[in-house]
Structure formats: C-alpha cells, structure tokens
C-alpha cells in the first residue's frame, strides 16, 4: 500500500517538476549529456567550511562532507559551485527548504522530463545517498576558497630557467609532428613521435589535462589540467620535459599564448593566459616562465536578463592573429572578452555579448572568425577578431560540441565550418565566406546525419577529402567504439563507419574502449584516434591512412592509461583543423 502511495506521489512530483522552476530550459535529456555534464570536479577534494541552515534538516559533519563530495562529483557541472545555477537551475535553500525532503528525494531519485537525471532509478545513487543529497541542498552551499596572487606564487616553479635552456634544438625529433596525448587519470601527457610512432616521454602534469596549446614559435607546449595546473614543456630539450609550472586556480580548462606579430609589435611567445572555472577569473603570465602577472575576475552580469552571476566560468581561449588580443569566452554570462595585452598595466577589454553557455570552438579557415559553441543555447556565435565584434549567431542542433570544429571546402557553399552535437545525431555545416559566398555566410547551409548523439570532436584537414566525427559518449558500444567518415565531395551519400576499437585489438576485458578525437599528422595523410578504456584496462592509439581509410598502425604501451585528447604540434600551432 505504501509503495503504491509513493509511486502516486512520485508521479505527481514529476508532473510538477516538468512545469516548475526545477525544469531545465531544454526538452529531455540524453545519456551523452548526462555523461558530459556530470563529470567530477577537482573541487570535491578541496577543504571547505560546513555551512548549515537552521531551517534545514539536521546533518552530521560526516554526512555533510560526504554529500559535498557527491555534489561536486555529480552535480556541480550543471548547478554550479555555489548552487546558484549554471546549465541547470539554482538549488539554494531559499528554493529548496520549502519543498521539503520527501519532495526533493523524489526529484533526485526519478529526475525530471526536462533534464534532471534519474540518479536513483538509474543506479547511480543509492536510496541512502538520495536522502543525503535531499537534505544537503537545503543547507547553505559551502564556498571553495578563492585563489589569488599569493596562492599562485606558492605553486609557481621554474624548473629550468630560460638562461639554462638550449639555444637550439638538442634532439633529432621532427618536433612539428610530435603528438601530445592526454593520459587523463594518471595526470600525465605522452609525447609521441609521429614519424616513428614511439613514445618520447611521459610528462607529469595536472589531473585530466583538458587541452594542449603550442607557442607561436612552436618550441613550447602548454597544457592545463582540470585541477588548474599549467605545465610548460620545452620541445628543444634532449628529451622534451617540463621547464615551468603553476596552479592558476582550483578548477580550469583553458590556456593559450600570445601570437600577434605586426605593426603593433612582436608578442610571439611573450605571454601566456589561462582561465579558471573556480575561482571565475583569468590570469596573464610571462610566456617563458609562467610567472603570474595579472588576475582578472569574470564575475558580472548575464547578457540576457542583465542579472549578476557569481561564478561565470572561463571556457575557451584563443589568441588573435590580427591584434595583440586574447579572445576569452565566459560561459554563464555569455560574454566574449577581447583582452588587449599590449599593455597589461593599462589592460583594455572589449566586451561582446553573444549567447549564454559559451564553451569550446575554433577558427574558420582564414583565422579571422572564431566560431564558439554556446552549447546549452544550441547556438554558434561567430566573433570577428579583425573588427572586434559579433558577426552572427547561428542556430544549430542540440548541445553543439565542436572541439575546434572542422574547416573544409563544400562543393556548393565554399568554405564551411562544422560541428557535431552531444544531444543529437546532427552535424551542422556553417558557411564562413562573406566575400565569395555572401548569401550563405554564417548560416547553417547543410545538416548531415551522423551515427548518433554523444559526439565530442569533428576533424578535417586542408589536404584531406574526408570529414571525421567521433561519438565517444553515445550509450551504444557499437557507436562509441567507431567513427563516421564523410566524403566531402559526396556528402549526400552518408558516412562510412570505421571500427576503430575493433582495429585496436584490445584484450577482451577492455571495458568501454571509447574512440575519441580524430587528429591529423602534419602531412595530413594520417588520422590518429585514442581508444579510451578504464584506468585498469588496456587502451591504445589507432592510426588510419586518410587516403584509403585502412588501418595503418596501432600503438600499445602499458603507460598509455586512459588516453583522451591528443594534439599534433604543427596543426595546433597553426590552428589547422
């Protein structure tokens, strides 16, 4: 009798949730979205003060600490560090206490039709954990510590001073064709010789390196972990390795270096910049030592309702080729900041309002227009780096996730830039030539049908006639373990499936074996894929001949643990994708 009553209550609550303030601003949620948004935050392990609300149900210190850890591992990605809302709605006590524990337990256990995952019925949380979380979100959210200049300088290390570094390349590696591969769960990157397919070095870094960027000269690699640690690697050393490091925050995603050389001066390799999720800020550093020079907060008003947001996270950062500027995209406020670094003592910032939830993106083929995904707004914003303005906002599919995207020449519409999506199977092609193809410029000119949702990266190359799309977060193993390849000259014919994980020949107990991030070599005739298995399972890199779409090589090594993103030095240095 009691179970039937609970089911009825649950049905009533779910109906209410579908139309209440707890419903997210989207219709339905897919497994790939849950996998992507609910990733663990490094803040789960940071010390914080227990913050209680006398009107909330009692919690012991041990219960509070357990719930806080669960929140940062599962929930902060959507609802924000301070629970004031990000891509998900706010979960602060002024909203949750009046709902009551029983209501919130059903909300957490069953989810909502509008986007909340069903944590208990999916098996992700136990009934006890659901009760814990229902009580936790009625208390005041604990605040992680800020991270200022004194904190940064305590972590800053110059391992090899500039005066002690080589004055010329001291190895025989073809530096342009080195690949930097993230070993996610070990806090390392593997530097791999693209010519010989041999591992050059395994370099210690921060946890779960998000991206690799290359200095304008091509000499230095910069990587940033999700824990905010930036490492600078010198490729001229006999064995390329770390020469400087710093932690710029407690959680982060983005780093880049100054690239402008022109009438206003030569700034190549002079500065580096990194952006943090927490605290919400970006940091300018010396390009040769990572010494922190200036910290700029991003807290401010949103572009839509002009409301204050306390934790707008820094997403993608790129360096302009037209001006001495960094282009910094701020996620929750929906602002693109054009940061003039020519005089950091009198910093000039041009603020461009684009769209909420700015995330990742890349340049068009001319490197004038930065195409950035506003992922939970289902839009792509085109930022004109030459004129310093918003050119257009284009509606695309559900939850665009382009990585850096892909540029190629469309048979009908000329130069286009492409993105895949987390939330659906579509691949959107956007025209990028306002001169010779004005009618289709910054409009979605064609939609391709890929294998399914859960796409993270899409890639092509100026010397290739193929477009590659991965789907590592798709719930179907057959799809997550393969890639779709389109013939650019015959896009309407659909795609060819390459069984990358099968070609890797991993052990039978290899686990998920998700295939992620196609990346070309410098010559543009090979495509590298990471086959990403669990930490205790075998992983591999698979290399495909771009002309024949046949298997060319497999790299296996016990040191290749959870390989995810990988970046070719030359293509990353010159923004070729």
């Amino acid at each position: 009798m009691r179970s039937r009553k609970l089911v009825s209550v649950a049905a009533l609550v779910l109906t209410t949730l579908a139309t209440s303030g707890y419903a997210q601003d989207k219709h339905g949620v897919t497994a790939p979205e849950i996998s992507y948004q609910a990733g663990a935050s490094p803040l789960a392990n940071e010390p914080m003060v227990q913050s209680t609300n006398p009107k909330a149900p009692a919690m012991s210190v041990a219960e509070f600490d357990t719930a806080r850890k669960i929140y940062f591992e599962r929930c902060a990605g959507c609802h924000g560090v301070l629970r004031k809302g990000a891509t998900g709605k706010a979960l602060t006590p002024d909203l949750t206490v009046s709902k009551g524990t029983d209501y919130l337990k059903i909300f957490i256990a069953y989810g909502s039709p509008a986007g909340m995952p069903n944590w208990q019925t999916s098996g992700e949380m136990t009934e006890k954990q659901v009760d814990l979380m229902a009580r936790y979100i009625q208390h005041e959210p604990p605040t992680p510590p800020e991270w200022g200049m004194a904190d940064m300088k305590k972590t800053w290390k110059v391992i090899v001073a500039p005066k002690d570094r080589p004055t010329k390349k001291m190895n025989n590696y073809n530096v342009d064709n080195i690949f930097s591969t993230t070993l996610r769960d070990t806090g390392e990157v593997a530097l791999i010789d693209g010519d010989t397919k041999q591992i050059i070095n395994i370099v210690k870094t921060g946890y779960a390196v998000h991206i690799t960027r290359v200095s304008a000269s091509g000499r230095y690699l910069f990587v940033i972990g999700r824990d905010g640690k930036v490492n600078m690697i010198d490729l001229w050393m006999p064995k390329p390795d770390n020469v400087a490091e710093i932690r710029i925050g407690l959680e982060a995603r983005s780093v880049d270096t100054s690239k402008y050389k022109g009438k206003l001066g030569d700034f190549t390799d002079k500065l580096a910049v990194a952006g943090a999720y927490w605290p919400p800020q970006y940091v300018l550093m010396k390009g040769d030592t990572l010494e922190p020079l200036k910290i700029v907060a991003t807290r401010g008003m949103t572009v839509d309702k002009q409301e204050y947001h306390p934790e707008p996270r820094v997403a993608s950062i790129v360096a302009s080729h037209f001006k001495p500027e960094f282009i910094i995209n701020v996620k929750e406020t929906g602002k693109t900041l054009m940061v003039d670094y020519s005089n950091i003592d009198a910093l000039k910032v041009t603020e461009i309002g684009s769209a909420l939830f700015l995330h990742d993106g890349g340049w068009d083929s001319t490197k004038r227009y930065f195409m950035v995904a506003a992922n939970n707004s289902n839009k792509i914003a085109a930022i004109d780096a030459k004129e310093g303005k918003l050119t257009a906002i284009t509606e695309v599919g559900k939850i665009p996730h382009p990585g850096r995207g892909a540029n190629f020449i469309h048979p009908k519409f000329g130069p286009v830039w492409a993105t895949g999506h987390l939330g659906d199977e579509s691949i959107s092609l956007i025209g990028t030539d306002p001169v010779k193809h004005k009618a289709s410029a910054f409009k979605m000119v064609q939609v391709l049908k890929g294998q399914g949702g859960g796409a993270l990266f899409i890639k092509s190359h100026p010397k290739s006639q193929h477009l590659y799309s991965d789907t590592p977060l798709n719930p179907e193993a057959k799809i997550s373990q393969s890639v779709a390849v389109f013939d650019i000259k015959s896009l309407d014919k659909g795609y060819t499936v390459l069984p990358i994980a099968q070609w890797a020949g991993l052990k039978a107990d290899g686990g998920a074996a998700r295939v992620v991030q196609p990346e070309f070599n410098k010559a543009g005739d090979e495509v590298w894929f990471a086959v990403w298995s669990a930490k205790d399972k075998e992983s591999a890199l698979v290399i495909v001949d771009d002309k024949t779409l046949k298997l060319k090589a497999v790299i296996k090594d016990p040191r290749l643990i959870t390989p995810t993103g990988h970046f070719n030095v030359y293509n990353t240095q010159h923004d070729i994708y």
Side-chain angles (χ1 to χ4, degrees), residues 149-169:
M149 186 62 75
D151 300 299
M152 290 183 199
K153 287 198 170 180
K154 288 177 184 177
T155 70
W156 173 49
K157 296 178 184 177
V158 179
I159 301 161
V160 181
K163 66 181 179 62
D164 298 323
R165 296 174 197 165
T167 56
K168 62 180 181 180
K169 190 164 75 78

Side-chain angles (χ1 to χ4, degrees), residues 417-428:
W417 179 89
T419 181
H421 299 83
L422 275 162
D424 63 36
E425 63 190 7
S426 69
I427 296 171
S428 298

Side-chain angles (χ1 to χ4, degrees), residues 364 366 368-369 413 415 431-442:
D364 79 308
T366 68
R368 173 173 174 172
Y369 300 98
F413 299 105
T432 58
D433 180 7
V435 179
K436 295 181 180 179
H437 298 82
K438 188 175 181 179
S440 58
F442 307 107

Side-chain angles (χ1 to χ4, degrees), residues 120-292:
Q120 183 177 325
T121 56
S122 68
E124 295 288 329
M125 288 187 190
T126 65
E127 185 176 354
K128 184 178 179 180
Q129 288 174 322
V130 167
D131 174 72
L132 200 66
M133 298 311 295
R135 287 183 286 141
Y136 173 77
I137 62 175
Q138 295 176 70
H139 287 269
E140 295 294 332
T143 304
E146 298 293 323
W147 195 260
M149 186 62 75
D151 300 299
M152 290 183 199
K153 287 198 170 180
K154 288 177 184 177
T155 70
W156 173 49
K157 296 178 184 177
V158 179
I159 301 161
V160 181
K163 66 181 179 62
D164 298 323
R165 296 174 197 165
T167 56
K168 62 180 181 180
K169 190 164 75 78
M170 300 296 290
N171 58 60
N172 294 321
Y173 301 118
N174 178 6
V175 167
D176 281 350
N177 203 34
I178 287 176
F179 285 76
S180 171
T181 297
T182 296
L183 306 181
R184 184 186 185 278
D185 292 339
T186 63
E188 299 169 324
V189 294
L191 301 181
I192 302 175
D193 187 330
D195 293 351
T196 66
K197 316 298 189 285
Q198 298 298 308
I199 294 176
I200 296 169
N201 197 14
I202 303 290
V203 181
K204 287 292 181 183
T205 63
Y207 170 72
V209 162
H210 192 243
I211 56 171
T212 293
R213 289 294 179 258
V214 180
S215 65
S217 67
R219 174 174 180 173
Y220 294 108
L221 282 179
F222 294 80
V223 301
I224 188 165
R226 288 186 60 180
D227 57 1
K229 186 176 182 180
V230 180
N231 289 80
M232 181 179 179
I233 300 168
D234 187 354
L235 298 177
W236 281 13
M237 295 171 69
K239 179 183 282 189
D241 210 336
N242 285 317
V243 292
E245 64 180 44
I246 190 173
R247 195 176 184 194
I248 58 92
L250 300 177
E251 185 172 3
R253 295 295 190 281
S254 304
V255 67
D256 212 333
T257 65
S258 53
K259 294 183 178 178
Y260 176 79
K261 182 178 181 180
K263 294 179 180 178
L264 299 177
D266 182 359
F267 293 92
T268 55
D269 291 15
K270 292 293 192 296
L271 292 172
V273 61
Y277 267 28
W278 186 269
Q281 60 193 27
Y282 59 91
V283 184
L284 299 174
M285 300 166 282
K286 285 187 177 179
D288 59 349
T289 64
L290 298 181
E291 178 184 356

